[in-house]
Amino acid sequence: MKENILNNYEQLCSVITDEIIEQIKYKPKSVITIAGGQTPTGVYKMLSERLISEQVDYSKITFVSLDEWVGLDINTNGSCIETLSSHLFNNLNLNEDQIVFFNGVATNLTAECNRIDNIIAKLGGIDFMVLGIGMNGHLGFNEPNIITENSSIVSLAEKTKEVMTKYFDKQIELTHGITLGYKQIMETNKIILMASGAKKSKIIEQTIKSEASYDIPSTILKKHSNCQLLIDKDAKEVEA
Ligand code: F6R
């Protein structure tokens, strides 16, 4: 996993946006996954602005969901689909079939996993993925020591439950997530793992220093042949 440290968050998002735009120009039918959460918000903003200002043809791309909180949908501020919709999708002129997202309130979640798996298979897999990293190293909702393959329902780790209050403007009890699995992540052609800020420095250091193991999901990306770790300076400096 190549490592690249950018001076600040602005630069980090700019470099990632460049790469996504390059990908779309190289392959107009690209299938792209961008994590929800706080880290990529600058990318959503820059990407939507630049796709429009640079008149990039994004009419054939498909955005595929990475994950969703079980029990939430677009009606809850802070859900993954709400975050991506309000900061990215709604700024663009996308057809319905260009957005493939987990429905966190589906009555049959196993069928929902199968639905997403089938769409990804029909699309020929994912071309480009931007991942964030959880405080425990999780990727999507692939929590430590849970080994998934394709889309899966996963129990949230205690760390994730602790941290999740930052996303919501009201108190919500959540126990599970629905997420793409390791196979789908590892079969993606190109991956960027992004992190920003001192609070991520410890898990970034652990990721860099540890061997690939499901104890720290982010380390599994070391087995991917085209994955970059892109972070800002703050994420490199370990907090005292
Ligand atoms: C969100 C997701 C999570 C986050 C991770 C980091 O869709 O997949 O794995 O990327 O928890 O979250 P932030 O960016 O909020 O620190």
Side-chain angles (χ1 to χ4, degrees):
M1 184 157 61
K2 276 177 278 164
E3 189 191 323
N4 200 353
I5 305 165
L6 285 308
N7 278 337
N8 53 44
Y9 180 67
E10 182 85 8
Q11 274 189 20
L12 173 66
C13 294
S14 174
V15 166
I16 295 172
T17 304
D18 284 346
E19 295 231 15
I20 301 172
I21 289 182
E22 204 177 291
Q23 170 68 37
I24 297 171
K25 286 183 176 167
Y26 164 72
K27 183 179 175 189
K29 268 188 151 181
S30 287
V31 178
I32 297 170
T33 294
I34 309 179
Q38 290 179 340
T39 312
T41 49
V43 175
Y44 309 147
K45 186 169 180 288
M46 281 186 201
L47 182 61
S48 42
E49 285 170 2
R50 287 189 48 197
L51 284 175
I52 295 165
S53 67
E54 294 172 25
Q55 300 186 335
V56 179
D57 178 10
Y58 58 83
S59 63
K60 294 183 191 69
I61 63 172
T62 307
F63 286 108
V64 169
S65 163
L66 174 63
D67 54 3
E68 186 56 280
W69 307 91
V70 169
L72 302 189
D73 63 9
I74 198 157
N75 298 313
T76 302
N77 287 340
S79 67
C80 297
I81 183 63
E82 190 279 330
T83 304
L84 276 137
S85 296
S86 60
H87 296 280
L88 177 62
F89 302 154
N90 293 350
N91 300 333
L92 301 172
N93 189 8
L94 296 167
N95 291 326
E96 236 172 74
D97 61 0
Q98 288 184 272
I99 303 171
V100 175
F101 228 90
F102 284 120
N103 175 8
V105 298
T107 40
N108 185 339
L109 290 169
T110 307
E112 182 59 6
C113 288
N114 293 336
R115 181 181 77 86
I116 295 292
D117 290 348
N118 288 334
I119 296 176
I120 293 173
K122 269 199 198 126
L123 288 167
I126 300 167
D127 294 294
F128 194 103
M129 188 177 283
V130 178
L131 292 168
I133 180 169
M135 298 295 281
N136 57 4
H138 75 193
L139 300 175
F141 283 129
N142 291 286
E143 302 284 17
N145 295 311
I146 296 176
I147 303 171
T148 59
E149 197 176 313
N150 289 316
S151 300
S152 304
I153 316 299
V154 175
S155 293
L156 299 175
E158 286 311 310
K159 191 75 199 166
T160 304
K161 290 186 194 165
E162 241 174 65
V163 172
M164 73 185 187
T165 52
K166 72 175 180 174
Y167 299 114
F168 307 115
D169 46 22
K170 56 185 179 191
Q171 203 175 336
I172 308 179
E173 290 288 315
L174 297 168
T175 57
H176 290 78
I178 181 167
T179 184
L180 296 186
Y182 283 104
K183 186 164 178 279
Q184 289 155 322
I185 294 174
M186 296 304 278
E187 283 177 357
T188 296
N189 288 336
K190 184 168 186 177
I191 301 178
I192 291 176
L193 175 63
M194 76 178 295
S196 165
K199 65 177 185 301
K200 292 288 169 72
S201 58
K202 199 164 163 213
I203 189 63
I204 288 297
E205 195 189 24
Q206 286 171 342
T207 301
I208 292 168
K209 290 192 173 155
S210 312
E211 279 182 18
S213 132
Y214 291 102
D215 289 353
I216 305 177
S218 48
T219 60
I220 296 295
L221 295 174
K222 293 182 167 185
K223 294 186 175 171
H224 193 283
S225 58
N226 193 5
C227 175
Q228 295 180 72
L229 173 65
L230 294 187
I231 62 177
D232 60 17
K233 264 189 186 159
D234 291 348
K236 185 68 185 176
E237 282 149 28
V238 176
E239 283 178 317

PDB file of all heavy atoms in Angstrom, residues 35-40 66-67 80 132-134 138-140 166-167 200, ligand 1:
ATOM      1  N   ALA A  35     -17.115   6.279   0.392  1.00  0.00           N
ATOM      2  CA  ALA A  35     -17.652   6.057   1.744  1.00  0.00           C
ATOM      3  C   ALA A  35     -18.520   7.228   2.184  1.00  0.00           C
ATOM      4  O   ALA A  35     -18.357   8.349   1.708  1.00  0.00           O
ATOM      5  CB  ALA A  35     -16.483   5.886   2.726  1.00  0.00           C
ATOM      6  N   GLY A  36     -19.421   6.938   3.132  1.00  0.00           N
ATOM      7  CA  GLY A  36     -20.132   8.004   3.825  1.00  0.00           C
ATOM      8  C   GLY A  36     -19.234   8.505   4.958  1.00  0.00           C
ATOM      9  O   GLY A  36     -18.026   8.266   4.959  1.00  0.00           O
ATOM     10  N   GLY A  37     -19.813   9.194   5.923  1.00  0.00           N
ATOM     11  CA  GLY A  37     -19.026   9.676   7.067  1.00  0.00           C
ATOM     12  C   GLY A  37     -18.487  11.077   6.844  1.00  0.00           C
ATOM     13  O   GLY A  37     -18.763  11.712   5.822  1.00  0.00           O
ATOM     14  N   GLN A  38     -17.665  11.540   7.787  1.00  0.00           N
ATOM     15  CA  GLN A  38     -17.204  12.932   7.743  1.00  0.00           C
ATOM     16  C   GLN A  38     -15.981  13.136   6.861  1.00  0.00           C
ATOM     17  O   GLN A  38     -15.831  14.179   6.233  1.00  0.00           O
ATOM     18  CB  GLN A  38     -16.887  13.412   9.172  1.00  0.00           C
ATOM     19  CG  GLN A  38     -18.161  13.566   9.994  1.00  0.00           C
ATOM     20  CD  GLN A  38     -17.895  14.014  11.418  1.00  0.00           C
ATOM     21  OE1 GLN A  38     -16.780  13.872  11.918  1.00  0.00           O
ATOM     22  NE2 GLN A  38     -18.914  14.525  12.072  1.00  0.00           N
ATOM     23  N   THR A  39     -15.094  12.148   6.814  1.00  0.00           N
ATOM     24  CA  THR A  39     -13.814  12.368   6.116  1.00  0.00           C
ATOM     25  C   THR A  39     -13.983  12.767   4.645  1.00  0.00           C
ATOM     26  O   THR A  39     -13.318  13.702   4.197  1.00  0.00           O
ATOM     27  CB  THR A  39     -12.912  11.116   6.237  1.00  0.00           C
ATOM     28  OG1 THR A  39     -12.903  10.708   7.601  1.00  0.00           O
ATOM     29  CG2 THR A  39     -11.502  11.385   5.783  1.00  0.00           C
ATOM     30  N   PRO A  40     -14.864  12.099   3.877  1.00  0.00           N
ATOM     31  CA  PRO A  40     -14.907  12.463   2.450  1.00  0.00           C
ATOM     32  C   PRO A  40     -15.786  13.670   2.118  1.00  0.00           C
ATOM     33  O   PRO A  40     -15.978  13.956   0.943  1.00  0.00           O
ATOM     34  CB  PRO A  40     -15.474  11.198   1.776  1.00  0.00           C
ATOM     35  CG  PRO A  40     -15.631  10.179   2.832  1.00  0.00           C
ATOM     36  CD  PRO A  40     -15.683  10.905   4.132  1.00  0.00           C
ATOM     37  N   LEU A  66     -21.303   1.959  -0.248  1.00  0.00           N
ATOM     38  CA  LEU A  66     -20.373   1.138   0.544  1.00  0.00           C
ATOM     39  C   LEU A  66     -21.105   0.487   1.706  1.00  0.00           C
ATOM     40  O   LEU A  66     -20.922  -0.694   1.997  1.00  0.00           O
ATOM     41  CB  LEU A  66     -19.228   2.006   1.084  1.00  0.00           C
ATOM     42  CG  LEU A  66     -18.255   1.332   2.042  1.00  0.00           C
ATOM     43  CD1 LEU A  66     -17.505   0.189   1.367  1.00  0.00           C
ATOM     44  CD2 LEU A  66     -17.256   2.344   2.600  1.00  0.00           C
ATOM     45  N   ASP A  67     -21.952   1.259   2.367  1.00  0.00           N
ATOM     46  CA  ASP A  67     -22.610   0.723   3.562  1.00  0.00           C
ATOM     47  C   ASP A  67     -23.773   1.608   3.996  1.00  0.00           C
ATOM     48  O   ASP A  67     -23.990   2.682   3.449  1.00  0.00           O
ATOM     49  CB  ASP A  67     -21.597   0.562   4.714  1.00  0.00           C
ATOM     50  CG  ASP A  67     -20.834   1.840   5.035  1.00  0.00           C
ATOM     51  OD1 ASP A  67     -21.115   2.880   4.406  1.00  0.00           O
ATOM     52  OD2 ASP A  67     -19.952   1.792   5.898  1.00  0.00           O
ATOM     53  N   CYS A  80     -25.994   7.182   5.639  1.00  0.00           N
ATOM     54  CA  CYS A  80     -25.030   7.256   4.523  1.00  0.00           C
ATOM     55  C   CYS A  80     -25.693   7.812   3.264  1.00  0.00           C
ATOM     56  O   CYS A  80     -25.127   8.675   2.594  1.00  0.00           O
ATOM     57  CB  CYS A  80     -24.427   5.875   4.265  1.00  0.00           C
ATOM     58  SG  CYS A  80     -23.482   5.262   5.668  1.00  0.00           S
ATOM     59  N   GLY A 132     -13.016   5.454   3.954  1.00  0.00           N
ATOM     60  CA  GLY A 132     -12.571   6.104   5.181  1.00  0.00           C
ATOM     61  C   GLY A 132     -12.107   5.006   6.132  1.00  0.00           C
ATOM     62  O   GLY A 132     -12.243   3.810   5.840  1.00  0.00           O
ATOM     63  N   ILE A 133     -11.553   5.404   7.250  1.00  0.00           N
ATOM     64  CA  ILE A 133     -11.092   4.404   8.221  1.00  0.00           C
ATOM     65  C   ILE A 133     -11.730   4.697   9.583  1.00  0.00           C
ATOM     66  O   ILE A 133     -11.699   5.838  10.056  1.00  0.00           O
ATOM     67  CB  ILE A 133      -9.541   4.369   8.288  1.00  0.00           C
ATOM     68  CG1 ILE A 133      -9.041   3.326   9.295  1.00  0.00           C
ATOM     69  CG2 ILE A 133      -8.951   5.749   8.625  1.00  0.00           C
ATOM     70  CD1 ILE A 133      -7.537   3.059   9.203  1.00  0.00           C
ATOM     71  N   GLY A 134     -12.316   3.653  10.171  1.00  0.00           N
ATOM     72  CA  GLY A 134     -12.910   3.812  11.504  1.00  0.00           C
ATOM     73  C   GLY A 134     -11.819   3.915  12.566  1.00  0.00           C
ATOM     74  O   GLY A 134     -10.654   3.575  12.310  1.00  0.00           O
ATOM     75  N   HIS A 138     -12.039  -0.106  11.004  1.00  0.00           N
ATOM     76  CA  HIS A 138     -13.048  -0.732  10.137  1.00  0.00           C
ATOM     77  C   HIS A 138     -13.103  -0.081   8.758  1.00  0.00           C
ATOM     78  O   HIS A 138     -12.789   1.090   8.596  1.00  0.00           O
ATOM     79  CB  HIS A 138     -14.427  -0.801  10.809  1.00  0.00           C
ATOM     80  CG  HIS A 138     -15.196   0.480  10.884  1.00  0.00           C
ATOM     81  ND1 HIS A 138     -16.311   0.621  11.687  1.00  0.00           N
ATOM     82  CD2 HIS A 138     -15.043   1.685  10.280  1.00  0.00           C
ATOM     83  CE1 HIS A 138     -16.791   1.838  11.543  1.00  0.00           C
ATOM     84  NE2 HIS A 138     -16.047   2.506  10.711  1.00  0.00           N
ATOM     85  N   LEU A 139     -13.498  -0.900   7.784  1.00  0.00           N
ATOM     86  CA  LEU A 139     -13.675  -0.458   6.401  1.00  0.00           C
ATOM     87  C   LEU A 139     -15.135  -0.680   6.072  1.00  0.00           C
ATOM     88  O   LEU A 139     -15.608  -1.810   6.164  1.00  0.00           O
ATOM     89  CB  LEU A 139     -12.826  -1.299   5.446  1.00  0.00           C
ATOM     90  CG  LEU A 139     -11.309  -1.306   5.660  1.00  0.00           C
ATOM     91  CD1 LEU A 139     -10.651  -2.294   4.698  1.00  0.00           C
ATOM     92  CD2 LEU A 139     -10.717   0.085   5.470  1.00  0.00           C
ATOM     93  N   GLY A 140     -15.862   0.350   5.665  1.00  0.00           N
ATOM     94  CA  GLY A 140     -17.307   0.205   5.603  1.00  0.00           C
ATOM     95  C   GLY A 140     -17.740  -0.171   7.009  1.00  0.00           C
ATOM     96  O   GLY A 140     -17.288   0.422   7.992  1.00  0.00           O
ATOM     97  N   LYS A 166     -21.728  11.262  16.571  1.00  0.00           N
ATOM     98  CA  LYS A 166     -21.287  12.475  15.859  1.00  0.00           C
ATOM     99  C   LYS A 166     -22.060  12.708  14.557  1.00  0.00           C
ATOM    100  O   LYS A 166     -22.073  13.809  14.034  1.00  0.00           O
ATOM    101  CB  LYS A 166     -19.781  12.427  15.587  1.00  0.00           C
ATOM    102  CG  LYS A 166     -19.353  11.441  14.517  1.00  0.00           C
ATOM    103  CD  LYS A 166     -17.855  11.528  14.203  1.00  0.00           C
ATOM    104  CE  LYS A 166     -17.466  10.522  13.134  1.00  0.00           C
ATOM    105  NZ  LYS A 166     -16.095  10.622  12.669  1.00  0.00           N
ATOM    106  N   TYR A 167     -22.675  11.647  14.033  1.00  0.00           N
ATOM    107  CA  TYR A 167     -23.347  11.798  12.742  1.00  0.00           C
ATOM    108  C   TYR A 167     -24.780  12.307  12.846  1.00  0.00           C
ATOM    109  O   TYR A 167     -25.345  12.782  11.872  1.00  0.00           O
ATOM    110  CB  TYR A 167     -23.412  10.445  12.002  1.00  0.00           C
ATOM    111  CG  TYR A 167     -22.056   9.859  11.709  1.00  0.00           C
ATOM    112  CD1 TYR A 167     -21.633   8.677  12.316  1.00  0.00           C
ATOM    113  CD2 TYR A 167     -21.184  10.484  10.814  1.00  0.00           C
ATOM    114  CE1 TYR A 167     -20.384   8.132  12.041  1.00  0.00           C
ATOM    115  CE2 TYR A 167     -19.935   9.945  10.541  1.00  0.00           C
ATOM    116  CZ  TYR A 167     -19.548   8.771  11.160  1.00  0.00           C
ATOM    117  OH  TYR A 167     -18.313   8.245  10.891  1.00  0.00           O
ATOM    118  N   LYS A 200      -7.177  10.373  13.918  1.00  0.00           N
ATOM    119  CA  LYS A 200      -6.962   9.143  13.131  1.00  0.00           C
ATOM    120  C   LYS A 200      -5.495   8.686  13.157  1.00  0.00           C
ATOM    121  O   LYS A 200      -5.139   7.660  12.581  1.00  0.00           O
ATOM    122  CB  LYS A 200      -7.412   9.358  11.685  1.00  0.00           C
ATOM    123  CG  LYS A 200      -8.921   9.538  11.506  1.00  0.00           C
ATOM    124  CD  LYS A 200      -9.679   8.235  11.725  1.00  0.00           C
ATOM    125  CE  LYS A 200     -11.179   8.405  11.812  1.00  0.00           C
ATOM    126  NZ  LYS A 200     -11.823   8.711  10.565  1.00  0.00           N
TER     127      LYS A 200
HETATM  128  C1  F6R B   1     -19.044   5.243   6.316  1.00  0.00           C
HETATM  129  C2  F6R B   1     -18.055   4.178   6.449  1.00  0.00           C
HETATM  130  C3  F6R B   1     -17.126   4.128   7.610  1.00  0.00           C
HETATM  131  C4  F6R B   1     -16.337   5.435   7.726  1.00  0.00           C
HETATM  132  C5  F6R B   1     -15.402   5.416   8.934  1.00  0.00           C
HETATM  133  C6  F6R B   1     -14.748   6.758   9.143  1.00  0.00           C
HETATM  134  O1  F6R B   1     -19.819   5.016   5.165  1.00  0.00           O
HETATM  135  O2  F6R B   1     -17.988   3.332   5.639  1.00  0.00           O
HETATM  136  O3  F6R B   1     -16.272   3.042   7.471  1.00  0.00           O
HETATM  137  O4  F6R B   1     -15.609   5.645   6.555  1.00  0.00           O
HETATM  138  O5  F6R B   1     -16.099   5.080  10.092  1.00  0.00           O
HETATM  139  O6  F6R B   1     -15.741   7.698   9.443  1.00  0.00           O
HETATM  140  P1  F6R B   1     -15.428   9.245   9.489  1.00  0.00           P
HETATM  141  O7  F6R B   1     -15.002   9.643   8.129  1.00  0.00           O
HETATM  142  O8  F6R B   1     -16.731   9.894   9.869  1.00  0.00           O
HETATM  143  O9  F6R B   1     -14.352   9.437  10.486  1.00  0.00           O
END
